[in-house]
Amino acid sequence: MKELKYTITDPEGIHARPAGLLVNKAKEFASDIKIGKDGKMVDAKRIFGVMGLGVKTGMEITMSAEGDDEADAIAALEAFLKAEL
Amino acid sequence: MITIKGKSVFGGVSIGKIKFYKRNDKVIKRTHVDNTTAETERFHDAKKIAIEQLKELYNKAIADVGEANAAIFEIHQMMLEDLDYIESIENIIQTQEVNAEYAVATTADNFAQMFSSMDDAYMQGRAADVKDVSERILNILSGSGETSMKTDEPVIIAADDLAPSETVQLDKEKVLGFATMYGSASSHTAILARTMNIPAVIGLGDELSEQFDGKDAVIDGFTGTIYIDPDEATLTVMREKREKDLEQRRLLDELKGKENVTKSGQKVNVYANIGNVSDVGLVLKNDAGGIGLFRSEFLYLESNDFPTEEAQFQVYKQVAENMAGKRVIIRTLDIGADKQVDYFNLPKEENPALGYRAIRICLSQPEIFKTQLRALYRASAFGQIAIMFPMIISVDEVKKIKEIVATVKAELDEEGIPYKKDIEIGIMIETPASVMMSRELAKEVDFFSVGTNDLTQYTLAIDRQNPKLEPFLDTHHPAVLRMIQMAADNAHAEGKWIGICGELGADTELTDQFLKMGVDELSVSPALVLPLRKKIRECE
């Protein structure tokens, strides 16, 4: 399993649009991908779960990937987070 | 005439007849089904159709309101494809042996409830999105099709609330404005109204009733008011307001994104003056290149005690961030004379305009000054802030200011708080003394900004507030213009830039002259940015 931690800098946090983009990005990979904060992890391929976390600017999130393409997935998600959030 | 106040989401005035938007209200019945597999299939078929519709809607929205705003319909598609949502519906159908309609409605309620209970207004607003997509499936399941609003003449749409999909489906040519009973400013309907340039008022409450269907009305999107059966006087005022707004928008269409450049290629920055954070929206809307004068007094005037460093920092940071790298010139405290604040306990003066005010207070009470400077320097890490000091008459004052600035910087360094090292420092040119000393002053600072109101009053020894003196007041007095010329020459001789932030800066009769003087920047109230740009582009 691979993991990453990232602190959100987008002033609006993970609002609807980036949540959608994040879910789409996660869906590109076969691995089981999760996102969470404060220990609560949800499926990163499900938009309601991602939006339901209510992640705001300044909060630290954790993402994990488990599966054959886990290394690629984490690298791609890290690049995505840096560019969009 | 009936007047109802709500919240404004988009400025502009519209005048027309009200059309009350009616939805096919459905009562969802819970019925028993034997074949739950077939019922689940029914849901999946409806879902497929809904997604197809949303794809079409997305394409229509891209064309109408742009990709960023259309994205919500992509999110809507993803919501319908969300496994939590689908599994919930399938579960309800299969375990409770009930109809798909009931399962969808129940699931929609649960998910909407999740959003409503979140602790931020934006996420709470997303409950409407869940209901919107679920409503779409319910319509397909019941075969009732979509609600449509047919009208021959353009109307003001009134409704309890409008879902984003309903807003986008309205024929733009037929919609003069929106008025809703509920809804929030961060709803997508509000955002879409802004993008579609349609005056809108929301949150009017129960006073907005279906009985108003077909009545004449006026929406004043600036104040968030709707007038039903407006009287002649209101209509006249509103028609004028509408004309002015349309003229401004025409200018915007013509000039937005264009350079402030004369026919011969001379460029000048056109910035905007603001007096509160809430004005930043207007600055951006009118396409100003920066903020040339941010009067920080409101922080002190709106408060019952000295505003804290943290409170000031938040305000400066917000403005710097919203301006996204554009220059924001913040003027330090300019209290005194005609602007009095109780808790400063300023003694009554015989001649306040020539008295204890602005930088004189700051240099006498450095603790007040340092609090503001610390807030400004901390905020400088979040954008391009420049600081400007008012009422300067001598080089000595500037040196004292710089000493205090150096202490503030040293303190921040020690505390490890980040700030921008090369922040620009400037002074207001508003006293004749500062003009006479401008060569020496220019060596000490990065820029000048001419405050023409005070400079005129001090140069001509004429009280601006005294109507009796009007016959003596020539606002284009050559003495004042020569003062500006002198300050400009001295600034340029030292390689510094000069701007004008007083009322004369917006006086288009003088624009040509200011450009000839080589003035580098003109800062005017947001609404005057584009008329000034128009004038500059007409100059030789």
Side-chain angles (χ1 to χ4, degrees), chain B residues 14 54 58 83 108 236 291 389 526:
Chain B
S14 53
L54 283 166
Y58 176 65
L83 288 174
T236 309
I291 292 172
F389 304 100

Side-chain angles (χ1 to χ4, degrees), chain B residues 516-531:
Chain B
K516 288 203 173 77
M517 288 181 190
V519 168
D520 303 280
E521 175 243 8
L522 294 166
S523 192
V524 300
S525 67
L528 298 176
V529 166
L530 292 168

Side-chain angles (χ1 to χ4, degrees), chain B residues 16-45:
Chain B
K17 283 204 192 314
I18 290 185
K19 173 93 186 172
F20 223 94
Y21 185 86
K22 290 187 196 80
R23 238 172 246 115
N24 309 329
D25 274 332
K26 290 172 295 293
V27 180
I28 302 296
K29 286 204 183 86
R30 184 183 201 272
T31 53
H32 176 81
V33 293
D34 290 323
N35 188 344
T36 55
T37 316
E39 195 63 13
T40 309
E41 269 316 300
R42 229 182 111 232
F43 158 66
H44 279 283
D45 291 344

Side-chain angles (χ1 to χ4, degrees), chain B residues 390-424:
Chain B
M391 279 298 283
I392 297 294
I393 57 169
S394 73
V395 173
D396 194 44
E397 285 168 347
V398 176
K399 287 192 168 149
K400 283 199 180 108
I401 291 167
K402 286 166 109 178
E403 278 167 29
I404 298 175
V405 165
T407 332
V408 165
K409 283 182 170 178
E411 280 176 20
L412 292 174
D413 284 334
E414 206 168 294
E415 294 162 39
I417 298 173
Y419 62 91
K420 206 164 271 174
K421 308 274 171 193
D422 56 352
I423 177 166
E424 284 181 299

Side-chain angles (χ1 to χ4, degrees), chain B residues 237-354:
Chain B
V237 173
M238 287 297 142
R239 281 196 194 106
E240 269 174 39
K241 205 166 174 178
R242 184 164 177 272
E243 281 312 309
K244 253 178 89 179
D245 178 52
L246 291 178
E247 168 65 16
Q248 188 74 11
R249 286 198 212 171
R250 206 184 49 71
L251 275 176
L252 203 61
D253 282 345
E254 185 189 325
L255 295 168
K256 192 163 186 175
K258 295 261 170 72
E259 276 192 307
N260 306 302
V261 60
T262 64
K263 286 181 181 163
S264 61
Q266 185 184 348
K267 286 181 192 168
V268 58
N269 287 325
V270 177
Y271 291 172
N273 297 341
I274 64 168
N276 208 326
V277 192
S278 52
D279 300 335
V280 176
L282 282 177
V283 173
L284 294 171
K285 190 179 142 207
N286 287 289
D287 200 27
I291 292 172
L293 168 63
F294 179 12
R295 303 180 184 91
S296 61
E297 292 81 74
F298 83 94
L299 282 164
Y300 299 84
L301 295 166
E302 286 178 358
S303 171
N304 296 322
D305 200 350
F306 293 102
T308 62
E309 176 185 321
E310 189 59 28
Q312 296 194 49
F313 164 69
Q314 290 299 344
V315 167
Y316 304 146
K317 173 174 173 258
Q318 191 188 340
V319 174
E321 282 183 336
N322 288 343
M323 290 303 291
K326 290 179 177 161
R327 196 186 261 144
V328 176
I329 304 175
I330 303 178
R331 180 176 71 189
T332 59
L333 170 70
D334 190 8
I335 294 286
D338 51 346
K339 283 170 273 188
Q340 289 294 337
V341 181
D342 292 344
Y343 56 84
F344 273 76
N345 288 319
L346 298 177
K348 208 170 156 41
E349 295 181 77
E350 284 294 316
N351 204 342
L354 304 181

Side-chain angles (χ1 to χ4, degrees), chain A residues 11-12 14-24 27 43 45-56, chain B residues 67-68 71-72 74-75 78-85 87 111 114-115 118-120 122-123 126 130 188 321:
Chain A
E12 293 178 313
I14 305 188
H15 60 128
R17 190 173 188 219
L21 295 172
L22 181 68
V23 169
N24 278 337
K27 281 183 177 170
D43 187 342
K45 294 178 185 176
R46 302 187 182 196
I47 190 155
F48 282 121
V50 174
M51 288 173 72
L53 287 174
V55 177
K56 293 177 197 157
Chain B
E67 204 191 336
I72 187 62
E74 217 179 6
I75 305 292
M78 296 178 77
M79 286 178 167
L80 291 185
E81 288 164 347
D82 184 282
L83 288 174
D84 289 330
Y85 182 78
E87 283 164 8
F111 280 76
M114 172 196 91
F115 282 119
M118 285 174 75
D119 63 352
D120 105 33
Y122 172 81
M123 282 298 173
R126 304 287 65 78
V130 182
H188 280 280
E321 282 183 336

